[in-house]
Amino acid sequence: MSVLFYRRPDYVAKLPGPMNLSQCQIYVDRTQKHRKAIPAELSFENVVQNRALPPCTLQDFMDYLVYVSHDAENLQFWIWLQRYTAKFYALPPSEQALSPPYSAPEAIQPTGNEVSQPPRTTEKPRFGVSEYEVNFDQQEPPMTPAGAMSPQFDKQSFLSGIATTNRSVVDSVEDANAQAGLKWQSFTIQPFRAEINRVISHYIAPNSPRELNLSHKTRSAVLHALQHTTHPSAFALVHDIVEGTLRGQSHPNFIRWSICNGNKPRVLFVRNSGIAHIVAGVILAIFLICSAASRWWRLWCFPLLFVGFDIGIAAYKGLCVIIHTGHSRALRPWEQYGDGASLNSFDNHDEDEEATVGSSTDEVYSMSTPRKDGGKTTSRGISMDTFGTSNAFDHELWVDKYKKKPLLRRIFTKTVWIQNETVRLLQDRIVMQSHVLAALVTVPLTTLIVALPQTGVL
């Protein structure tokens, strides 16, 4: 990977309308063109299996999807499906036989813009691999079964706050089936039927708390499959769409975002500071050219111009050179107050921020606050639960607190050390690029300034 010519992954914009397989393939085609921008250590497999260090852990990925891209339901559903598939194949053969693999008839398969799927076989599916897999490194090991994933996958979701309305799970499933034109009831004797109903009411049904961005045809096909069986193959179509979106759009954007070490106020401040240095260098050059001073005094323009171009180029790529000297990054807004803290914990603003000073990212993530029953919880942990309320975060306590935070404190917010060596290496390369590019621009520009004749106007 070249130092001077390294580029962050390009931003992959969301395509309009509901997702289908053809759109997911567009995501993957775009990502393949820039696969060298994402090292194997930061691959999709390493992130979702929680093998990468902060700021590229699975929780970081979930935070990005919740607070930045606003489509965390894809990852939440994908995690559940990996775990459900492992759990289903752990059943005795006699129970598995109650839910045979699903093979969609031609009349049910989505048509038009949606690519038809090949017939499903009874072969146990490979974990984490779809026909639209993005392989950034051919030597990258395949994903392990969901049962071997991080312990975070084994957490039990909260039983309260399951849906945003008073309707029961059964009512939600019946309404979804009615909209899809399905009249008869599902087979209740099949294993995990109650869990499947909860998944439908949370992810598949229209207006569900974590509704996936599926077209009507895709939703109808999945609901039709789930009426016949609870076998994981019934989710094959939606699995390919969700995983294609995660691999081809969410993951590259997440890595691009993770490489940045400054928040938006800090980056804008540094960028404007770079412009100010350049303007100051130009003004100084004009003043010295118009004066009777020796032309060698014009060399003082070099440091102003170099610093301006240097920090400006780095800020354009989302990096603050000053923070980078310590291989640190600015805390995200939701990390600055312990996240999920009670109202009482916000009474002292300084104590909340000072609690994060000098902490590693793991220590910041471990911050939790007492519940009324004596336990501890964090809202970021709740986002990892399969079943829960919607992913809206306007109600979280840090939102109002951060809005009231003075601009100067937002710019010079607390920082935390970056533990991921690969991220530090990528940042080093970007900063080195800014140094080289700044020198390539400043040296000839300063030479030109020194060579210009004196005017003696002043």
Side-chain angles (χ1 to χ4, degrees):
M1 188 180 296
S2 174
V3 174
L4 295 181
F5 299 101
Y6 172 76
R7 289 181 56 187
R8 290 185 302 161
D10 288 342
Y11 178 77
V12 183
K14 294 182 181 179
L15 296 175
M19 288 302 303
N20 53 49
L21 291 177
S22 60
Q23 290 179 320
C24 292
Q25 185 59 49
I26 294 176
Y27 282 151
V28 173
D29 292 341
R30 291 177 180 175
T31 306
Q32 287 282 15
K33 297 178 182 178
H34 307 284
R35 61 185 180 275
K36 293 183 179 179
I38 302 180
E41 294 79 6
L42 303 179
S43 65
F44 177 78
E45 284 77 12
N46 283 342
V47 172
V48 297
Q49 292 187 40
N50 214 25
R51 294 198 298 238
L53 292 174
C56 294
T57 63
L58 177 62
Q59 184 65 71
D60 291 311
F61 193 18
M62 184 66 76
D63 286 348
Y64 170 80
L65 296 177
V66 171
Y67 299 117
V68 181
S69 65
H70 311 301
D71 51 2
E73 61 276 357
N74 290 327
L75 182 58
Q76 290 163 339
F77 174 82
W78 187 90
I79 290 174
W80 170 84
L81 186 56
Q82 303 302 302
R83 182 175 56 191
Y84 176 79
T85 302
K87 183 168 60 174
F88 182 89
Y89 284 107
L91 291 174
S94 58
E95 293 189 38
Q96 292 187 34
L98 297 175
S99 294
Y102 180 74
S103 179
E106 281 188 28
I108 301 300
Q109 291 181 347
T111 57
N113 293 329
E114 299 189 11
V115 179
S116 299
Q117 292 296 291
R120 302 289 169 179
T121 64
T122 57
E123 180 183 358
K124 181 177 178 179
R126 297 168 59 194
F127 290 90
V129 180
S130 72
E131 55 188 303
Y132 297 110
E133 178 177 0
V134 182
N135 293 320
F136 295 108
D137 190 340
Q138 296 297 329
Q139 302 299 322
E140 187 174 303
M143 287 188 64
T144 56
M149 289 185 177
S150 166
Q152 295 186 33
F153 286 98
D154 297 326
K155 296 191 308 177
Q156 295 296 327
S157 59
F158 292 103
L159 297 179
S160 60
I162 290 178
T164 56
T165 66
N166 293 327
R167 298 185 306 166
S168 66
V169 171
V170 176
D171 292 336
S172 300
V173 174
E174 290 179 352
D175 290 347
N177 289 337
Q179 293 187 33
L182 306 177
K183 304 298 182 182
W184 49 278
Q185 298 295 324
S186 306
F187 298 106
T188 57
I189 195 175
Q190 294 173 334
F192 306 123
R193 174 55 67 182
E195 183 174 356
I196 293 297
N197 287 340
R198 293 185 68 189
V199 169
I200 293 175
S201 67
H202 275 76
Y203 296 97
I204 309 298
N207 301 318
S208 53
R210 299 177 180 179
E211 181 182 359
L212 298 174
N213 187 23
L214 304 175
S215 67
H216 176 72
K217 291 181 179 179
T218 301
R219 181 181 291 107
S220 299
V222 173
L223 291 174
H224 187 277
L226 293 175
Q227 275 202 329
H228 287 81
T229 181
T230 59
H231 193 276
S233 60
F235 289 103
L237 181 58
V238 65
H239 167 269
D240 291 342
I241 292 175
V242 167
E243 183 168 321
T245 303
L246 288 173
R247 287 180 177 272
Q249 195 253 350
S250 299
H251 175 253
N253 289 347
F254 166 66
I255 298 301
R256 175 186 174 89
W257 176 79
S258 298
I259 294 175
C260 302
N261 67 355
N263 55 22
K264 187 175 181 179
R266 180 66 173 245
V267 171
L268 291 177
F269 172 78
V270 175
R271 189 179 301 177
N272 292 332
S273 298
I275 296 174
H277 278 77
I278 295 174
V279 171
V282 172
I283 293 176
L284 178 61
I286 295 174
F287 175 79
L288 293 176
I289 291 173
C290 295
S291 68
S294 172
R295 67 176 62 227
W296 300 112
W297 284 99
R298 303 175 196 176
L299 290 175
W300 287 104
C301 299
F302 179 84
L304 288 173
L305 294 174
F306 179 81
V307 171
F309 283 113
D310 186 23
I311 65 178
I313 293 172
Y316 177 77
K317 298 181 179 181
L319 291 178
C320 173
V321 177
I322 298 175
I323 298 179
H324 175 73
T325 57
H327 281 127
S328 301
R329 67 170 179 86
L331 287 176
R332 316 297 185 193
W334 52 89
E335 296 172 344
Q336 295 178 18
Y337 303 102
D339 211 66
S342 63
L343 285 171
N344 292 334
S345 67
F346 286 111
D347 291 341
N348 192 325
H349 176 83
D350 294 332
E351 290 181 0
D352 289 324
E353 284 203 330
E354 289 177 0
T356 63
V357 178
S359 302
S360 67
T361 312
D362 284 340
E363 291 170 338
V364 172
Y365 282 161
S366 67
M367 291 180 182
S368 56
T369 52
R371 294 199 310 255
K372 292 182 179 180
D373 59 1
K376 292 184 177 181
T377 184
T378 60
S379 61
R380 297 229 279 296
I382 295 174
S383 67
M384 300 297 293
D385 292 332
T386 299
F387 305 111
T389 56
S390 66
N391 293 313
F393 56 89
D394 293 342
H395 64 283
E396 294 186 13
L397 300 178
W398 66 265
V399 176
D400 289 337
K401 198 70 177 178
Y402 187 76
K403 288 180 179 178
K404 298 176 182 178
K405 188 174 183 178
L407 178 60
L408 193 61
R409 294 179 66 91
R410 295 188 191 185
I411 294 174
F412 299 100
T413 189
K414 305 302 179 182
T415 60
V416 64
W417 183 63
I418 296 174
Q419 299 183 35
N420 195 300
E421 183 179 359
T422 303
V423 175
R424 298 200 302 267
L425 177 61
L426 296 180
Q427 291 178 345
D428 289 341
R429 292 178 175 179
I430 293 176
V431 172
M432 180 63 68
Q433 288 176 3
S434 67
H435 293 340
V436 173
L437 292 176
L440 292 176
V441 174
T442 308
V443 169
L445 184 58
T446 305
T447 303
L448 177 63
I449 293 174
V450 174
L452 289 176
Q454 292 180 337
T455 62
V457 175
L458 298 180

